[in-house]
Amino acid sequence: MDDDDITVMRSSHSHHPQIPPGSEGRDLGGDALPVGTRLGEFEITGLIGEGGFGIVYLAHDTSPLQRKVAIKEFMPAGMASRSRTMQVTVRSQSQAETFRMGLRSFVNEARLLASFDSPSLVKVHQFWEGNGTAYMVMPYYDGVTLRQSLKDRQVVPDERWLRAMLASLCDALETIHREQCYHRDIAPDNIMILRKDGRPVLLDFGAARRVVGNATQSLTVILKPGFAPIEQYADAPGMRQGAWTDVYALAAVVYFIISGKTPLPAVARIVSDELVPAREIGRGRYSAAFLAAIDRALAVRPEQRFQSIAQLRDALGLQEGAPRTMPDIGQAPLPASSAFDGSPRWATEPPYTTRGRAAGGGHTVPPSEDWGRTEFRPPAEQPPRRS
């Protein structure tokens, strides 16, 4: 997490997989590479997650760095398969162009992430093409998604906690917006809360997923209803995407946190806006100015929102570039009717554990694409931790 080694692009010839002979490699099932497979200096040690557009492995960096990493492989399920020689091939030639577009987008996403440096933005150490597909190497983030941490009562956020989280995420978003790059997939599943210091990390630009989804005309693949603003539903004049698109999604995440419910989809709101304002749901638990800023950021029409993260930051009174310290668990209980899991057990239970199909803790993909095993213990009393 704290290393500052240079991110590089490796040539594909040095990363042809070396498959362990016989029983030395344990099959992880499906199209996943077996345990023990070598990709250059990286040795696969487990499966973190397997979703519709990729596979994420736990791996060991055998270079002098000797660190644990996550390797994401582009592997769109239903469109591609792996041969005995580990080459990834398209199942049908009719899908070949869509696969190539997705692969190109995956590599471009890796290149973008490799060029950014923000403590709350997922980092890419290396990326390369090979074996008919592409790979990116990322830090192994030990934690759980924001959605899971809320569901498991690991955080019950008060305004102080929310402001600290938003300050970190605003830093990350401004980093990418300066390069005219927009996330367009901000949601509770794409924000990880790190076990080490409680810092939020923004995950998964989903670039390959958007390209493949567009090619197959599948909106359900590329949008998260409730978190996607209206301009993401159609490419029409006056509905351009930009910084204001991420502003809406970030505000929708805050609305989800304070209400326990996903906001109404933007397409429903533009017909008849029946969304209960944040200023009503959060009254008495959060300041009026804070809630007013969230309501404006959630405006259905793009021109009525804050047009930049800087404007949102000013409205929230967040200082740019200040050291980010995540406070301990907040003390503002959410309403018992919250839909996180239908249970009113707000922060009253012992340490929580979520388990799933893969071995190892933490993950770098959302749980909708990831069945990783994650363990977490609520922090003991200790001094504030710096991100």
Side-chain angles (χ1 to χ4, degrees), residues 9 15 20 30 41 74 78 97 114 125 163 167 192 210 217 258 266 282 291-292 296 303 307 318 335:
M9 181 169 182
H15 283 85
E41 66 266 40
F74 178 63
E97 181 57 27
H125 294 309
R163 285 179 175 277
M192 176 171 285
R210 285 195 297 273
Q217 301 300 307
I258 67 177
L291 296 173
R296 181 175 172 186
E303 68 273 13
Q307 296 298 290
L318 304 177

Side-chain angles (χ1 to χ4, degrees), residues 16 102 123 132 145-146 159 186 189 225 238:
H16 287 307
K123 181 67 175 173
T145 64
L146 175 60
E159 186 169 330
I186 301 169
D189 295 335

Side-chain angles (χ1 to χ4, degrees), residues 47-331:
L47 178 68
I48 293 175
E50 187 171 11
F53 295 91
I55 302 173
V56 183
Y57 305 98
L58 179 64
H60 175 66
D61 184 351
T62 63
S63 74
L65 290 170
Q66 292 290 307
R67 60 185 172 182
K68 188 186 292 186
V69 297
I71 299 179
K72 188 173 184 178
E73 178 183 43
F74 178 63
M75 173 65 83
M79 189 183 300
S81 61
R82 197 187 307 279
S83 70
R84 290 173 181 263
T85 61
M86 297 300 117
Q87 283 289 119
V88 174
T89 57
V90 182
R91 296 180 188 273
S92 168
Q93 281 306 306
S94 65
Q95 297 174 311
E97 181 57 27
T98 301
F99 179 88
R100 282 194 291 269
M101 289 169 59
L103 180 61
R104 240 182 352 256
S105 187
F106 181 93
V107 172
N108 287 338
E109 177 185 348
R111 183 176 287 110
L112 275 171
L113 289 171
S115 69
F116 296 139
D117 188 14
S118 170
S120 287
L121 189 66
V122 63
K123 181 67 175 173
V124 168
H125 294 309
Q126 300 176 20
F127 61 98
W128 69 90
E129 292 186 62
N131 315 312
T133 186
Y135 304 86
M136 63 174 88
V137 180
M138 300 169 286
Y140 177 74
Y141 294 110
D142 186 10
V144 294
T145 64
L146 175 60
R147 181 186 295 274
Q148 192 67 42
S149 67
L150 291 164
K151 182 178 179 181
D152 291 346
R153 309 300 186 266
Q154 294 168 14
V155 292
V156 182
D158 58 12
E159 186 169 330
R160 178 169 170 256
W161 188 93
L162 267 176
R163 285 179 175 277
M165 182 194 74
L166 286 170
S168 294
L169 294 178
C170 283
D171 287 349
L173 288 171
E174 286 194 312
T175 297
I176 66 174
H177 288 181
R178 279 194 288 269
E179 302 300 322
Q180 303 300 304
C181 177
Y182 309 106
H183 192 284
R184 298 185 291 187
D185 200 17
I186 301 169
D189 295 335
N190 277 344
I191 298 170
M192 176 171 285
I193 306 300
L194 299 186
R195 183 190 308 182
K196 177 182 177 182
D197 55 11
R199 170 163 38 107
V201 175
L202 190 57
L203 307 174
D204 194 12
F205 280 47
R209 178 164 66 251
R210 285 195 297 273
V211 168
V212 173
N214 284 331
T216 58
Q217 301 300 307
S218 176
L219 281 175
T220 57
V221 173
I222 59 174
L223 295 178
K224 288 187 173 68
F227 300 98
I230 192 65
E231 62 267 27
Q232 286 190 261
Y233 284 83
D235 185 12
M239 286 291 179
R240 293 184 305 110
Q241 297 181 35
W244 52 87
T245 302
D246 286 344
V247 164
Y248 183 99
L250 188 59
V253 168
V254 176
Y255 188 96
F256 173 80
I257 292 172
I258 67 177
S259 71
K261 298 179 180 180
T262 300
L264 294 174
V267 286
R269 295 183 62 202
I270 204 165
V271 176
S272 176
D273 192 356
E274 298 179 359
L275 182 73
V276 180
R279 63 180 177 274
E280 294 184 19
I281 291 177
R283 183 181 292 126
R285 294 182 293 127
Y286 302 91
S287 68
F290 180 86
L291 296 173
I294 298 305
D295 280 335
R296 181 175 172 186
L298 272 174
V300 178
R301 298 199 62 83
E303 68 273 13
Q304 295 175 350
R305 297 176 219 144
F306 301 111
Q307 296 298 290
S308 68
I309 293 296
Q311 290 181 2
L312 174 63
R313 188 198 295 277
D314 287 346
L316 291 170
L318 304 177
Q319 185 178 351
E320 182 178 0
R324 303 305 180 208
T325 301
M326 290 303 298
D328 287 337
I329 295 175
Q331 301 299 324

